[in-house]
């Protein structure tokens, strides 16, 4: 009987040899897979170990090329500074004209200038540091006003009594009475060095000029330098070209570097600009930027005899300073409304934990120089205390506009947002610095007169 066409064929038999060959192939594949897995695991383990060794290796470099050991050493080497703050006030040109000499004269060759400063004494004495520009020499010779000034040393005594401890003589009238009067001036201030008084801008010789002059308060050293544009045509003596510090960029940069190395901050006083101009010129702005680039923290300007604006100055290297271009006069007998408006700059200098010192709370308290119709009774008062009654009795009333509103407008035009009401400065300590955000942002000497 024939087989049905749909009947299944019997399975094909596989020889024992072929089955053995298939088994060997499967075993090779399994072995190869196992090897691959082991290789992958080994690579992973080696990579993990390498990372662990790199992180623990003190000589390993990070992505910036700095080794961990070097970074740790650098962090340990960088000092951490104690936060601290000091208050500083600065006023303008103390310009003793003839009528002021007459007002201060007591007879028998003696003078008393203390009443000139009595009403602003509380503000000066309350500051940690107080600066004034003494516009004339304090020679022992015959007193004189304009045009060649020589002021009795009793005026210096009055400034000390008022509370000033940093005195500049780098100005255009420094040589008015010759070099002998300046040496008298140096001797006078040095006789008060034990009282914490420092002079800036004048020097006995090159070695004296090289001394770092600073005031130390609250553990902070605030260094001071002062320079003038010229000397009214007078020349420095051949045997002492350092008697008065003149503006010279190379010298300034060198001296600033030395002070910056020794002190926490550098304050630079500049006698510059144009007289009776109520805004700064391009040269002042260029010099302010130069001083900032070289590390100035605060720049105090004078000479124009009127107030000029203040502003923050930033340099390309990242340094930042606060600059007042002119504080105006302090006391004088000039006869313009604007020459009677004066500035008392008030700032706080705060040292942060990385050692940098910043200017905080900058403000200008306007002052007025008052004297009565007899050109007597000279005194400096806060503008807030200058009344309409005083404006009517002022010696310049009727000659120029001495109204309270006019003087206020002059101050506002110069200082705008920085004007403050009469304010007694605060003597600070480190607790102030700590409580006012001093965080890481990354004492004694150390060694009718119209013209000015």
């Amino acid at each position: 009987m024939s087989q049905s066409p749909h009947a299944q064929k019997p399975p094909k038999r596989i020889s024992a040899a072929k089955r053995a060959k298939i088994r060997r192939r499967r075993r090779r594949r399994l072995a190869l897979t196992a090897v691959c897995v082991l290789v992958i695991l080994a690579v992973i383990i080696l990579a993990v170990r390498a990372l662990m060794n790199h992180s623990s290796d003190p000589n390993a470099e990070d992505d910036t090329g700095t080794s961990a050991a070097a970074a740790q050493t650098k962090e340990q080497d960088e000092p951490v500074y104690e936060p601290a703050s000091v208050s500083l006030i600065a006023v303008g040109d103390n310009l003793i004209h003839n009528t002021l000499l007459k007002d201060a004269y007591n007879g028998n060759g003696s003078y008393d200038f203390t009443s000139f400063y009595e009403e602003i004494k509380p503000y000066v004495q309350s500051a940690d540091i107080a600066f004034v520009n003494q516009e004339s020499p304090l020679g022992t010779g015959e007193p004189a006003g304009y045009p060649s000034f020589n002021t009795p040393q009793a005026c210096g005594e009055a400034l000390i009594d008022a509370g000033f401890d940093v005195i500049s003589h780098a100005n255009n009238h420094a040589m008015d009475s010759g070099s002998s009067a300046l040496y008298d001036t140096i001797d006078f201030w040095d006789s008060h060095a034990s009282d914490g008084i420092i002079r800036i801008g004048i020097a006995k010789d090159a070695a004296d000029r090289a001394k770092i002059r600073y005031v130390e308060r609250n553990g902070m050293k605030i260094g001071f330098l002062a320079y003038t544009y010229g000397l009214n045509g007078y020349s420095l003596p051949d045997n002492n070209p350092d008697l008065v510090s003149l503006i010279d960029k190379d010298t300034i940069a060198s001296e600033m570097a030395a002070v910056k190395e020794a002190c926490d901050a550098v304050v630079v006083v500049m006698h510059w600009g144009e007289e009776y101009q109520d805004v700064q010129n391009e040269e002042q702005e260029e010099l302010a930027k130069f001083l900032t680039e070289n590390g100035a923290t605060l720049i105090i300007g004078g000479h124009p005899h009127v107030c000029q604006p203040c502003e923050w100055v930033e340099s390309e290297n990242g340094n930042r300073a606060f600059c007042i271009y002119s504080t105006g006069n302090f006391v004088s007998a000039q006869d313009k409304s604007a020459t009677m408006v004066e500035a008392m700059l008030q700032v706080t200098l705060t040292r942060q934990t990385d050692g940098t010192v910043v200017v905080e709370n900058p403000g200008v308290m306007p002052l007025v120089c008052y004297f009565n119709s007899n050109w007597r009774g000279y005194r400096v008062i806060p503008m807030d205390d200058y009344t309409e009654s005083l404006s009517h009795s002022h010696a310049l009333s009727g000659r120029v506009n001495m109204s309270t509103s006019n003087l206020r407008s002059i101050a506002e035009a110069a200082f705008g947002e920085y004007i403050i009401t009469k304010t007694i400065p605060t003597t600070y300590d480190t607790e102030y610095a700590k409580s006012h955000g001093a965080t890481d942002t990354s004492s004694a000497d150390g060694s009718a007169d119209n013209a000015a």
Side-chain angles (χ1 to χ4, degrees), residues 37 56 73 92-93 122 197 213 245 247 271 284 289 296 373 392 422 436 440:
V37 170
S56 61
T73 301
D93 302 338
I197 308 301
R213 304 187 184 278
S245 299
I247 295 174
H271 212 68
Q284 287 170 277
K289 182 160 287 191
S373 57
H392 295 317
K422 61 178 183 178
H436 286 71
D440 190 351

Side-chain angles (χ1 to χ4, degrees), residues 226-238:
Y227 304 92
T228 179
Y229 73 94
L231 299 168
N232 284 354
Y234 293 103
S235 299
L236 293 171
D238 292 337

Side-chain angles (χ1 to χ4, degrees), residues 70 106 135 145 163 179 201 232 234 261 280 313 345 356 366 373 378 390 394 403 411 428 450:
N106 286 333
E135 185 79 3
S179 58
N232 284 354
Y234 293 103
E261 180 71 21
Q280 71 275 13
V313 180
L345 175 68
T356 59
S373 57
Y378 282 89
L390 289 175
H394 198 289
S403 67
Y428 293 114
N450 298 340

